[in-house]
């Protein structure tokens, strides 16, 4: 049941219109960060307020909603946002990727390929890829307008000179349709290749930083790299301890005080589905 | 005040505007697709689709330009009652609505600035009919290519050349709509 004390999906209609206009401009200018008047939400900044506002503007009562936090459906952030929309929008919720029509995510893209009937909403902490290189908003805005992205390549080059390879492993910068450099949110660079040519609509919401940006389906997204140091989507070199998957992104879990550890799929739905289908890893009970 | 001024809005604004927005968003994200949209019953000459788009996206924060026949007392009163959107000329509007002929020339609408390309107008173009034939479309949101009946080819090519500046278009006919963001290549 929808909680009658609130408007459908919590936000008032004028706020939703403002967010919806920002989403449309974001889709029309892929990778460009559209400023929006982010609202106070009943959760602290940094807990996905941007993603929540975008989801609230996008949801219809018929949607099936899924939330993942670093791939997991059962962590605090995911559980609380899921129940928030269950209560304020009356939507059906699910943990199954293929059943969901709107998926809000913190820092992962589901392993299962998304379809044209799905929308992926990212929670973004720092939307500006140049922010740690240039703290002034007035300057980074100018850099985007002039397509002046040399500084970003210098940063990647410094990685190479210091570590021998590009050490940036998450929030790895991408260039969208050959124009805007975009922060894909802190997804592991393992997920970067999925950003481009995705069938689903991808929306990015940064609440504290008051920015919304978007990738329409089938958009060209290229991870920045060098000819002699090409981009590489990396993951821990192990199979999943529970389901034995070789191709999925893994979390390292410390299991005792003696240095014991195991690697498990970060996408819990993917791992559960494989285990249910009979796949077993070496650490499976 | 006439009865049609007060009627024809969303009966259930939160839910109907959510559905209407999804149609607009799908159209903008997938140029060349036709989407159904419903909810509004605006006075003539506005189509249901154009009326629904206006109710979904416009309010007191969005100056609207009514072009040509759309600029009549019935539409003015209806828009004022249901959205409160201020009416303005083409050079300061966020949304404009009218037929292709009435909306032209396109050079007068704001196309954004290089630092804020989002500060550009969205044109709601009323069309006789919308079909997935005619001009060939490609670009973001389109897997290989798509086709859409467009009132012009050259105008959209010129608009594309302005990227990342430019206008975005929502094409409406009856209770259907399609969209053409500035990124779409038209040939």
């Amino acid at each position: 049941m929808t909680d009658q004390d609130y408007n459908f999906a919590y936000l008032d209609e004028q706020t939703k219109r403002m967010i919806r206009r920002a989403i449309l401009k974001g889709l029309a200018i892929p990778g460009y960060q559209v400023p929006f008047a982010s609202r106070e939400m009943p959760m602290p900044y940094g807990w996905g307020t941007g993603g929540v506002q975008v989801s609230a503007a996008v949801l219809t009562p018929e949607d099936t909603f899924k939330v993942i936090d670093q791939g997991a459906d059962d962590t605090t952030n995911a559980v609380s946002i899921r129940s928030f929309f269950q209560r304020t929008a009356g939507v059906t919720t699910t943990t199954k990727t293929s059943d969901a029509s709107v998926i809000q995510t913190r820092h992962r893209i589901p392993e299962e390929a998304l379809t044209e009937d799905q929308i992926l909403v990212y929670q973004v902490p720092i939307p500006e890829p140049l922010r740690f290189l240039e703290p002034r908003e007035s300057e980074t805005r100018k850099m985007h307008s002039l397509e002046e992205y040399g500084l970003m390549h210098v940063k990647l080059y410094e990685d190479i000179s210091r570590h021998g390879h590009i050490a940036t492993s998450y929030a790895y910068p991408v260039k969208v349709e050959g124009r805007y450099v975009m922060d894909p949110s802190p997804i592991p660079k393992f997920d970067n290749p999925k950003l481009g040519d995705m069938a689903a609509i991808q929306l990015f919401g940064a609440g504290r930083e008051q920015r919304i940006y978007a990738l329409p389906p089938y958009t060209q997204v290229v991870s920045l790299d060098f000819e002699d140091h090409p981009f590489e989507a990396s993951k821990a070199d192990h199979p999943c301890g529970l389901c034995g998957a070789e191709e999925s992104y893994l979390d390292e879990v410390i299991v005792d005080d003696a240095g014991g550890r195991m690697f498990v799929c970060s996408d819990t739905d993917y791992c559960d589905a494989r285990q249910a289908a009979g796949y077993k890893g070496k650490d499976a009970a | 005040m006439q009865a049609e001024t007060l009627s024809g809005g969303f009966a259930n604004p939160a839910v109907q505007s959510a559905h209407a927005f999804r149609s607009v968003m799908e159209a903008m994200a997938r140029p060349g697709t036709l989407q159904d949209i419903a909810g509004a019953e605006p006075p003539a000459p506005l189509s249901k689709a154009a009326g629904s788009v206006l109710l979904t996206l416009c309010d007191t924060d969005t100056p609207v330009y009514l072009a040509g026949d759309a600029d009549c007392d019935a539409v003015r009163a209806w828009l004022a009652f249901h959205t409160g959107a201020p009416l303005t000329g083409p050079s300061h509007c966020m949304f404009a609505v009218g037929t292709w002929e009435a909306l032209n020339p396109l050079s007068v609408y704001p196309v954004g600035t290089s630092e804020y390309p989002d500060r550009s107008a969205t044109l709601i173009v009323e069309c006789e009919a919308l079909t997935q034939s005619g001009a060939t479309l490609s670009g973001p949101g389109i897997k290989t290519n798509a086709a859409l009946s467009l009132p012009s080819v050259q105008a959209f090519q010129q608009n594309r050349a302005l990227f990342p500046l430019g206008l975005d278009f929502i094409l409406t006919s009856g209770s259907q709509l399609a969209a053409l963001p500035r990124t779409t290549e038209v040939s």
Side-chain angles (χ1 to χ4, degrees):
Chain A
M1 267 305 287
T2 307
D3 201 317
Q4 293 301 316
D5 292 340
Y6 295 104
N7 188 31
F8 170 73
Y10 186 76
L11 292 174
D12 61 279
E13 289 305 301
Q14 185 164 17
T15 299
K16 279 194 247 172
R17 279 192 293 270
M18 175 267 298
I19 295 170
R20 286 167 178 163
R21 292 193 295 264
I23 290 173
L24 292 181
K25 286 299 172 193
L27 285 166
I29 318 165
Y32 167 75
Q33 303 162 50
V34 184
F36 82 111
S38 179
R39 299 294 194 247
E40 294 263 353
M41 296 302 285
M43 60 192 73
Y45 284 136
W47 285 75
T49 54
V52 166
Q53 289 178 79
V54 170
S55 292
V58 162
L59 279 174
T60 68
E62 290 75 29
D63 277 312
T64 304
F65 189 57
K66 171 182 162 87
V67 189
I68 51 174
D69 174 1
Q70 306 246 0
D73 290 282
D74 52 3
T75 56
T76 315
N77 201 204
V79 171
S80 63
I81 293 172
R82 202 161 55 230
S83 62
F84 175 75
F85 281 116
Q86 205 165 17
R87 201 172 142 190
T88 59
V91 290
T92 316
T93 58
T94 183
T95 58
K96 224 170 158 295
T97 303
S98 53
D99 288 349
S101 55
V102 178
I103 302 173
Q104 183 172 328
T105 175
R106 175 177 174 272
H107 310 354
R108 264 321 299 280
I109 298 174
E111 301 290 347
E112 198 177 323
L114 300 183
T115 68
E116 295 200 344
D117 300 322
Q118 295 178 306
I119 297 167
L120 189 58
V121 178
Y122 295 77
Q123 301 171 201
V124 182
I126 309 284
E128 177 50 74
L130 305 166
R131 181 60 69 235
F132 291 110
L133 308 170
E134 169 51 66
R136 289 168 295 179
E137 169 69 14
S138 55
E139 289 300 306
T140 52
R141 190 160 284 281
K142 205 166 286 172
M143 289 159 81
H144 281 294
S145 82
L146 297 172
E147 226 175 326
E148 176 48 72
Y149 296 126
L151 202 55
M152 187 56 92
H153 276 102
V154 171
K155 182 208 178 245
L156 297 175
Y157 174 75
E158 283 178 350
D159 262 13
I160 295 170
S161 62
R162 195 171 303 153
H163 306 285
H165 61 99
I166 298 178
T168 305
S169 58
Y170 66 96
Y172 192 102
V174 295
K175 197 165 199 179
V176 180
E177 286 287 329
R179 179 57 181 84
Y180 284 100
V181 165
M182 184 190 98
D183 183 326
S185 87
I187 58 171
K189 68 177 172 182
F190 173 83
D191 282 340
N192 271 27
K194 299 183 213 165
L195 290 162
D197 283 321
M198 187 188 275
I201 297 172
Q202 299 174 80
L203 305 174
F204 298 77
R208 182 189 53 222
E209 304 291 322
Q210 314 204 321
R211 295 290 184 276
I212 284 172
Y213 51 106
L215 294 174
Y218 312 116
T219 295
Q220 185 206 70
V221 180
V222 179
S223 302
L224 299 181
D225 61 359
F226 298 97
E227 273 174 26
D228 52 344
H229 285 273
F231 171 81
E232 205 181 334
S234 59
K235 66 180 274 280
D237 191 15
H238 296 269
C240 170
L242 297 177
C243 77
E246 304 269 358
E247 305 299 324
S248 71
Y249 189 74
L250 301 173
D251 286 338
E252 184 178 358
V253 182
I254 308 295
V255 292
D256 56 33
D257 290 341
R261 57 187 185 159
M262 65 189 280
F263 290 89
V264 295
C265 292
S266 113
D267 185 334
T268 52
D269 173 57
Y270 178 80
C271 197
D272 288 348
R274 278 180 55 92
Q275 289 179 67
Y279 292 98
K280 255 187 163 40
K282 67 180 178 59
D283 301 315
Chain B
M1 187 176 282
Q2 306 207 331
E4 70 171 0
T5 299
L6 306 181
S7 63
F10 288 142
N12 183 354
V15 171
Q16 283 180 303
S17 62
H19 283 127
F21 172 68
R22 282 286 276 274
S23 298
V24 180
M25 183 176 80
E26 287 289 334
M28 194 61 86
R30 303 175 200 279
T33 61
L34 299 182
Q35 308 285 336
D36 293 321
I37 185 168
E41 303 276 349
L46 289 188
S47 64
K48 289 179 187 178
S52 302
V53 173
L54 290 168
L55 292 194
T56 304
L57 298 174
C58 296
D59 52 33
T60 51
D61 295 336
T62 58
V64 173
Y65 169 57
L66 300 174
D69 291 343
D71 190 13
C72 60
D73 287 342
V75 172
R76 282 172 170 253
W78 186 80
L79 202 63
F81 179 74
H82 291 281
T83 70
L87 297 178
T88 177
S91 56
H92 291 97
C93 70
M94 276 175 77
F95 290 91
V97 59
T99 60
W100 179 252
E101 291 71 28
L103 289 166
N104 268 290
L106 300 185
S107 55
V108 294
Y109 297 94
V111 293
T113 65
S114 62
E115 296 191 1
Y116 291 95
D118 57 304
R119 294 180 183 173
S120 56
T122 303
L123 271 52
I124 303 167
V125 187
E126 293 270 39
C127 304
E128 289 278 309
L130 285 173
T131 56
Q132 289 179 296
S133 61
T136 306
L137 315 181
S138 62
I142 302 166
K143 197 169 186 180
T144 47
N145 51 53
L148 189 63
S149 51
L150 292 178
S152 164
V153 169
Q154 199 197 0
F156 294 109
Q157 289 172 337
Q158 286 172 353
N159 186 54
R160 173 68 185 83
L162 297 174
F163 185 83
L165 308 186
L167 305 171
D168 304 308
F169 299 87
I170 297 173
L171 306 146
T172 53
S173 177
S175 56
Q176 277 196 316
L177 65 87
L180 205 71
R182 63 193 76 177
T183 48
T184 305
E185 305 264 8
V186 179
S187 59

